[in-house]
């Protein structure tokens, strides 16, 4: 908390973020952070406009949160043409043709593989093959616990970050069906109150 206090006191007014309403974002985060009994993003002066804590505690209006969300928003980078063509090559109508495409050796494979150039291509091929196995076995038509999706589906997304140095992706949610999402819609990051327990499968009606 002392570091939080020092950081705020060291801020220059002309460098702070003032919204169209005249409200200062840093001042509001500081006031809120001082009230928090638990660690919150506000203590790092980081704001997530989708965290309903701010609206529920009347720190910001919905219009102000929308302004925060839209200010200097960054567009996603465009996908390289060669990578897009490779993804498109898997747009087949049968699993047999899809396996033929997967079996086709690419010029970047084997001794020519360079992680800095070909990681995305390799990840795509691995992901398509993994999803094909799930499709052929019929598991995608069944209901599963959230842990199953973490292991069989979302882990593919996690692996897409493997080339980034210093990034460690981890999952540790309790087991629940994806349908429990509706019960977790209004959960907020802990700050003034402790985070509510996430609903699990046994609680899904």
């Amino acid at each position: 908390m002392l570091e939080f206090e020092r950081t705020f006191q060291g801020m220059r007014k002309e460098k702070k973020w003032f919204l169209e309403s005249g409200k200062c974002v840093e001042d509001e985060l500081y006031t809120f952070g001082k009230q928090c009994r638990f660690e919150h993003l506000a203590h790092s002066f980081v704001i997530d406009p989708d965290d309903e804590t701010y609206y529920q505690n009347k720190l910001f209006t919905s219009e102000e949160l929308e302004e925060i969300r839209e200010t200097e928003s960054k567009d996603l980078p465009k996908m390289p043409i060669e990578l897009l063509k490779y993804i498109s090559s898997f747009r087949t109508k049968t699993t047999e043709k899809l396996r033929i495409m997967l079996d086709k050796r690419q010029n970047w494979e084997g001794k020519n593989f360079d992680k800095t150039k070909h990681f995305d291509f390799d990840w795509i091929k691995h992901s398509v093959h993994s999803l094909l196995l799930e499709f052929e076995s019929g598991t995608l038509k069944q209901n599963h616990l959230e842990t199953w999706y973490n292991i069989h589906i979302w882990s593919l997304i996690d692996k897409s970050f493997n080339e980034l140095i210093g990034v460690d992706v981890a999952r540790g949610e309790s087991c629940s069906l994806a349908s429990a999402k509706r019960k977790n819609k209004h959960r907020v990051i802990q700050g003034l109150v402790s985070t509510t327990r996430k609903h699990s499968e046994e609680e899904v009606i």
Side-chain angles (χ1 to χ4, degrees):
M1 189 63 73
L2 289 177
E3 182 63 28
F4 175 59
E5 182 77 31
R6 283 196 294 266
T7 300
F8 179 74
Q9 296 302 331
M11 291 181 178
R12 295 160 54 186
K13 184 176 180 179
E14 63 270 21
K15 295 293 184 179
K16 290 183 179 181
W17 184 3
F18 288 88
L19 302 176
E20 291 183 2
S21 63
K23 188 175 293 183
C24 177
V25 174
E26 288 83 357
D27 289 354
E28 294 298 323
L29 292 179
Y30 174 72
T31 301
F32 174 71
K34 293 284 286 185
Q35 301 175 48
C36 289
R37 296 187 294 115
F38 304 93
E39 185 68 23
H40 190 273
L41 287 175
H43 293 129
S44 298
F45 293 97
V46 173
I47 183 168
D48 176 5
D50 294 317
D51 180 3
E52 294 190 10
T53 299
Y54 304 114
Y55 183 76
Q56 292 175 0
N57 290 279
K58 300 181 180 179
L59 271 76
F60 300 102
T61 65
S62 58
E63 291 78 13
E64 289 169 337
L65 288 171
E66 185 62 26
E67 180 183 346
I68 291 171
R69 184 181 292 106
E70 294 297 326
T71 299
E72 296 185 10
S73 59
K74 306 296 182 182
D75 294 328
L76 291 174
K78 291 185 178 180
M79 183 180 296
I81 297 299
E82 290 303 314
L83 191 62
L84 181 59
K85 288 181 179 179
Y86 185 58
I87 292 177
S88 299
S89 70
F90 293 109
R91 297 181 63 180
T92 62
K93 294 185 177 181
T94 65
T95 55
E96 180 182 3
K97 291 183 179 179
L98 189 55
R99 283 195 169 276
I100 291 175
M101 288 304 303
L102 286 168
D103 193 49
K104 185 177 180 181
R105 188 174 180 81
Q106 304 297 316
N107 56 15
W108 48 263
E109 294 186 281
K111 65 179 182 180
N112 294 324
F113 182 78
D114 182 339
K115 182 181 177 181
T116 61
K117 298 178 181 179
H118 308 129
F119 175 85
D120 290 338
F121 292 88
D122 193 43
W123 174 79
I124 289 170
K125 186 170 188 176
H126 167 77
S127 298
V128 171
H129 184 257
S130 297
L131 290 173
L132 177 60
L133 292 177
E134 300 293 349
F135 178 82
E136 290 179 331
S137 62
T139 57
L140 297 179
K141 296 180 180 180
Q142 304 169 15
N143 290 325
H144 302 282
L145 296 176
E146 188 170 326
T147 299
W148 185 93
Y149 289 101
N150 284 341
I151 295 172
H152 294 260
I153 306 299
W154 300 125
S155 63
L156 301 177
I157 304 299
D158 297 343
K159 289 182 176 66
S160 69
F161 295 96
N162 284 357
E163 68 167 337
L164 302 179
I165 299 175
V167 175
D168 185 20
V169 181
R171 296 182 182 273
E173 289 289 351
S174 58
C175 300
S176 62
L177 285 173
S179 58
K181 180 180 178 181
R182 61 183 174 83
K183 289 194 174 185
N184 298 313
K185 183 177 180 181
H186 297 294
R187 290 172 75 239
V188 297
I189 301 172
Q190 68 177 13
L192 295 176
V193 296
S194 179
T195 303
T196 55
R197 183 171 61 86
K198 191 171 184 180
H199 295 281
S200 61
E201 176 203 4
E202 289 74 19
E203 299 169 307
V204 177
I205 300 176

